[in-house]
Amino acid sequence: MLTQLKSSPTHEVYALHLPQLKLRLMVPAMKLQLMSHLSDDELATYHDFTFKQPALRWLGARLSAKWLLKNHVHSHLKTHQLSLIKNNKGAPFCAVSGLPVGLSHTAELAIAALCTGTFGIDTEHQSRFNNTPAPWLTPGEQVCLSTLGKRTATQLWCIKEALYKAIGHGPFLTFCQAVSVVKWQPNSIIINNNLYTQITHWQYQAWQLHQHDILLLEPNYDASYS
């Protein structure tokens, strides 16, 4: 159910397969054990969901984050003590340590990530986009995408989502139209100068799991200021 993706000195990433979580929730003893990881407030939030699928996604992301924090940062605490709260931009962080936690989910996969610096993470099912998702991609990006062979619109969407989580604010569409990927190489991208950041060089780690693309993006300061 839970997969630890290959880590690096700067980041750790967990992925939880939601169909397997759903099956475990159907077994009363397993459901009780899984719910024991939530605080009272989190339990109330879970039970407040009207529909099962959003509740499953929320639970999967929270459990992934809690196990990640427990295993790599707060081994002395119980998982129900490791609540997540949001800052004024809506970004989640650990209520105990203040560490930012990256979250992303689809109908089938929930992702949690920790990183030593600025970062963004996103996951999407590989079949999400059969065509370029204009207007979220700029004309230059659409031309770039057409020359990149096996790289897909879904992967480029993941890059834009991860960038937004790392440095964005305001409407996502406005951000996507202002920030353009001008060069896309294996494990690195370059974006245009824009009003959001002066960091133009970024490095990324990409994985594929259960027919999903997963991408974690970090600034490459050495390249930016070389």
Side-chain angles (χ1 to χ4, degrees), residues 13-86:
V13 182
Y14 281 7
L16 192 151
H17 193 221
L18 294 177
Q20 294 180 16
L21 175 61
K22 183 178 180 179
L23 290 175
R24 283 164 171 76
L25 291 171
M26 294 177 181
V27 181
M30 290 185 178
K31 181 175 182 178
L32 184 64
Q33 192 274 333
L34 289 166
M35 292 302 167
S36 71
H37 295 295
L38 302 181
S39 68
D40 290 342
D41 287 344
E42 289 170 329
L43 275 171
T45 298
Y46 175 77
H47 290 299
D48 279 345
F49 279 95
T50 303
F51 300 104
K52 292 183 178 179
Q53 191 60 36
L56 184 68
R57 295 177 185 179
W58 180 90
L59 179 62
R62 288 305 180 282
L63 290 176
S64 300
K66 284 169 172 284
W67 290 330
L68 185 60
L69 288 163
K70 169 73 174 176
N71 291 339
H72 297 284
V73 182
H74 297 297
S75 59
H76 60 293
L77 296 177
K78 302 292 186 181
T79 46
H80 71 265
Q81 297 175 294
L82 297 172
S83 298
L84 299 183
I85 54 180
K86 294 182 179 181

Side-chain angles (χ1 to χ4, degrees), residues 197-226:
T197 181
Q198 292 301 308
I199 302 170
T200 56
H201 290 71
W202 296 76
Q203 58 193 10
Y204 67 86
Q205 179 70 46
W207 302 269
Q208 294 181 331
L209 183 67
H210 298 298
Q211 296 184 303
H212 284 69
D213 288 309
I214 304 164
L215 184 136
L216 184 142
L217 197 68
E218 306 168 81
N220 187 345
Y221 294 109
D222 291 338
S224 292
Y225 299 110
S226 61

Side-chain angles (χ1 to χ4, degrees):
M1 179 175 72
L2 186 71
T3 301
Q4 180 177 5
L5 301 178
K6 185 177 180 181
S7 62
S8 81
T10 63
H11 64 254
E12 297 283 350
V13 182
Y14 281 7
L16 192 151
H17 193 221
L18 294 177
Q20 294 180 16
L21 175 61
K22 183 178 180 179
L23 290 175
R24 283 164 171 76
L25 291 171
M26 294 177 181
V27 181
M30 290 185 178
K31 181 175 182 178
L32 184 64
Q33 192 274 333
L34 289 166
M35 292 302 167
S36 71
H37 295 295
L38 302 181
S39 68
D40 290 342
D41 287 344
E42 289 170 329
L43 275 171
T45 298
Y46 175 77
H47 290 299
D48 279 345
F49 279 95
T50 303
F51 300 104
K52 292 183 178 179
Q53 191 60 36
L56 184 68
R57 295 177 185 179
W58 180 90
L59 179 62
R62 288 305 180 282
L63 290 176
S64 300
K66 284 169 172 284
W67 290 330
L68 185 60
L69 288 163
K70 169 73 174 176
N71 291 339
H72 297 284
V73 182
H74 297 297
S75 59
H76 60 293
L77 296 177
K78 302 292 186 181
T79 46
H80 71 265
Q81 297 175 294
L82 297 172
S83 298
L84 299 183
I85 54 180
K86 294 182 179 181
N87 63 19
N88 58 5
K89 292 184 179 180
F93 64 94
C94 175
V96 176
S97 61
L99 286 173
V101 180
L103 300 178
S104 183
H105 54 70
T106 67
E108 297 182 5
L109 207 63
I111 304 293
L114 293 174
C115 198
T116 56
T118 300
F119 76 105
I121 191 164
D122 189 51
T123 183
E124 301 290 347
H125 195 278
Q126 291 169 349
S127 65
R128 177 171 182 185
F129 297 114
N130 293 321
N131 299 305
T132 305
W136 291 271
L137 302 186
T138 66
E141 287 172 328
Q142 295 179 44
V143 171
C144 178
L145 189 61
S146 68
T147 66
L148 290 176
K150 293 183 179 180
R151 296 178 192 172
T152 67
T154 300
Q155 292 168 342
L156 185 50
W157 175 275
C158 286
I159 288 176
K160 298 291 283 271
E161 282 265 20
L163 277 169
Y164 181 74
K165 291 176 181 178
I167 58 174
H169 54 82
F172 179 58
L173 178 58
T174 301
F175 175 86
C176 287
Q177 292 174 340
V179 177
S180 179
V181 176
V182 296
K183 193 169 186 179
W184 185 1
Q185 300 173 314
N187 303 318
S188 68
I189 63 167
I190 301 174
I191 64 172
N192 62 317
N193 288 311
N194 59 82
L195 56 87
Y196 291 91
T197 181
Q198 292 301 308
I199 302 170
T200 56
H201 290 71
W202 296 76
Q203 58 193 10
Y204 67 86
Q205 179 70 46
W207 302 269
Q208 294 181 331
L209 183 67
H210 298 298
Q211 296 184 303
H212 284 69
D213 288 309
I214 304 164
L215 184 136
L216 184 142
L217 197 68
E218 306 168 81
N220 187 345
Y221 294 109
D222 291 338
S224 292
Y225 299 110
S226 61

